[in-house]
Amino acid sequence: MSILVTGGAGFIGSNFVLDWLAQSDELVINLDKLTYAGNLQNLATLADDARHVFVQGDFGDAALVAKLLLQYQPRAVVNFAAESHVDRSIHGPGEFIQTNIVGTFNLLEAVRAYWGALAAEARAGFRLLHVSTDEVYGSLAHTEPAFTETHRYEPNSPYSASKAASDHLVRAYHHTYGLPVLTTNCSNNYGPFHFPEKLIPLMIVNAQAGKALPVYGDGQQIRDWLYVKDHCSAIRRVLEAGQVGEVYNVGGWNEKPNLDIVQIVCALLDELKPRADGQPYQTQITYVTDRPGHDRRYAIDARKIEQELGWKPAETFESGIRKTVQWYLDHPDWVANVQSGGYRDWVVKHYGN
Ligand code: NAD
Ligand code: DAU
């Protein structure tokens, strides 16, 4: 038995692959293009592990995906591959359209052909799990209830619009062709291997480097934070027990304004690695121009996955953020390699060409 994971060298994908192989011996074929966000160093502990087959390639390359599906006959595909950073989508939306929409379409076509040719039993057991985001639902007012699975799609950035389009394609392939799909829409993740262009790792890394901590606008935008390993356990649970064609919102009931997040990170650093001059890290906070079209609030209503599938996050925000800050303090080489681009050399060093 095996599963095909796309985007498994990114932040969530690499955590998922590591957790999967920590709990099972089922082969993982990991197809990742290794864009700037893909980092095989995240998977260094699996370098000599025969249960992990890494393939550098595009999940939108239908011929390559067809070849891998035929060769390995996976019982499931878990689709993480995407362009994921909202700010990058504002500067250059084209790559988001190509990857998140066209790439997902090509993947669906390859998977549909494979699934259609499977024998009855394998066909019945097969699943495609599409990993998506709460951003497709748009922005909530402070008084509005959290997003449920039936909330109207109102994406506001090129990133969230491209993810929304991919969700619609996945849905359409179920309704039209019967493809056995599952979709998860998760809130903001944080934890190990988070690329330091995103809020939490950027603040941890900048704080230690003595740089400004750039807070967009008034810092009162609210996000709903979930420790990445809890997202991974939710995906495993949905893959195992989710109803085909259903959508599951995933979140940790952890709404916090950005400024609070930055202050919490600063306070943890004050405790774990105080500044040499004794000043608190929050003196480095700087308010900068807001993100265009910045969504004010996201919040996930996670009752469906909790009640129907019995999933619950293991971490509170307090335990998860402490682990995360400690992880970055314990892995200065990972941070240095990402910042220098050295992690790209690592691929050649460890895997040859
Ligand atoms: P990431 O940017 O860290 O990783 C994306 C990975 O996809 C990288 O390894 C990259 O090399 C790979 N990739 C990109 N284009 C590819 C292509 N054409 N073919 C194959 N691989 C390709 O992203 P992430 O934060 O790990 O997010 C993973 C998924 O989860 C995305 O679909 C994202 O929309 C979704 N998501 C993320 C969050 C979050 O907070 N980070 C929350 C909810 C959902
Ligand atoms: O909600 C899920 C989404 O969470 C995922 O779908 C995305 O892939 C992921 O990148 C994340 O999107 P956000 O835009 O919420 O994450 P980001 O870390 O970029 O920003 C979090 C908040 O912090 C957001 O309100 C913008 C703000 N911010 C971000 C950065 C990078 C700042 O104030 N300063 C910053 O420097």
Side-chain angles (χ1 to χ4, degrees):
M1 298 283 261
S2 66
I3 61 166
L4 173 66
V5 168
T6 72
F11 163 48
I12 305 172
S14 59
N15 275 288
F16 179 83
V17 170
L18 290 168
D19 286 4
W20 183 271
L21 292 175
Q23 306 196 14
S24 118
D25 285 332
E26 189 173 3
L27 186 73
V28 176
I29 299 99
N30 182 355
L31 173 62
D32 194 301
K33 189 176 170 184
L34 296 183
T35 67
Y36 80 95
N39 184 349
L40 274 184
Q41 209 169 2
N42 301 358
L43 299 164
T45 54
L46 300 177
D48 299 317
D49 194 323
R51 300 171 305 162
H52 178 234
V53 177
F54 181 76
V55 180
Q56 182 171 4
D58 192 332
F59 82 135
D61 178 344
L64 172 63
V65 175
K67 184 176 142 259
L68 293 173
L69 291 169
L70 271 184
Q71 185 177 353
Y72 292 101
Q73 302 276 311
R75 68 174 175 94
V77 172
V78 184
N79 182 34
F80 292 97
E83 287 294 332
S84 71
H85 190 36
V86 174
D87 294 324
R88 285 181 192 255
S89 83
I90 294 167
H91 289 291
E95 198 56 50
F96 287 71
I97 304 306
Q98 192 57 40
T99 301
N100 298 356
I101 304 178
V102 181
T104 303
F105 162 69
N106 288 338
L107 176 75
L108 284 164
E109 278 293 88
V111 171
R112 179 165 76 94
Y114 164 73
W115 170 74
L118 286 174
E121 197 183 336
R123 200 175 138 93
F126 182 82
R127 299 287 182 271
L128 168 74
L129 191 151
H130 177 61
V131 180
S132 193
T133 170
D134 59 359
E135 300 204 11
V136 297
Y137 299 122
S139 189
L140 288 168
H142 275 269
T143 48
E144 281 183 282
F147 301 129
T148 64
E149 289 77 2
T150 55
H151 197 95
R152 194 167 81 178
Y153 270 38
E154 288 182 331
N156 290 320
S157 71
Y159 163 69
S160 54
S162 66
K163 288 296 292 187
S166 70
D167 294 6
H168 290 323
L169 283 169
V170 169
R171 176 189 160 87
Y173 270 64
H174 174 64
H175 281 266
T176 306
Y177 305 112
L179 194 69
V181 304
L182 299 155
T183 299
T184 53
N185 290 86
C186 188
S187 60
N188 283 63
N189 286 212
Y190 66 99
F193 307 120
H194 205 181
F195 198 83
E197 63 183 354
K198 308 279 171 74
L199 181 72
I200 289 179
L202 182 78
M203 295 300 155
I204 299 172
V205 167
N206 274 14
Q208 291 178 79
K211 293 184 182 167
L213 306 180
V215 171
Y216 296 165
D218 62 4
Q220 292 309 310
Q221 304 83 5
I222 292 172
R223 296 292 181 268
D224 188 349
W225 295 93
L226 182 69
Y227 190 63
V228 63
K229 288 178 183 300
D230 284 324
H231 187 188
C232 295
S233 74
I235 292 169
R236 289 198 305 275
R237 184 66 191 139
V238 171
L239 192 57
E240 181 180 59
Q243 289 294 311
V244 165
E246 288 294 310
V247 172
Y248 296 90
N249 282 357
V250 184
W253 305 99
N254 258 313
E255 288 184 59
K256 290 205 186 314
N258 293 337
L259 188 58
D260 288 17
I261 295 289
V262 178
Q263 285 169 338
I264 290 167
V265 166
C266 287
L268 279 166
L269 285 170
D270 287 339
E271 176 194 327
L272 299 169
K273 195 182 178 194
R275 267 173 49 159
D277 63 4
Q279 291 298 306
Y281 282 101
Q282 46 168 303
T283 56
Q284 292 167 230
I285 292 175
T286 311
Y287 292 91
V288 300
T289 309
D290 209 349
R291 172 185 280 175
H294 200 171
D295 285 337
R296 200 67 186 163
R297 175 177 165 238
Y298 304 142
I300 280 283
D301 182 331
R303 278 178 296 178
K304 180 174 173 182
I305 188 171
E306 289 176 359
Q307 290 170 7
E308 293 185 12
L309 303 184
W311 172 84
K312 280 246 183 280
E315 301 291 342
T316 62
F317 185 72
E318 289 65 33
S319 63
I321 192 70
R322 181 174 282 276
K323 279 188 183 175
T324 303
V325 172
Q326 190 64 58
W327 186 88
Y328 279 87
L329 293 177
D330 292 343
H331 294 84
D333 293 349
W334 184 91
V335 173
N337 272 334
V338 167
Q339 288 182 318
S340 70
Y343 67 100
R344 291 174 180 275
D345 304 335
W346 192 91
V347 176
V348 177
K349 196 167 127 202
H350 284 262
Y351 289 82
N353 290 319

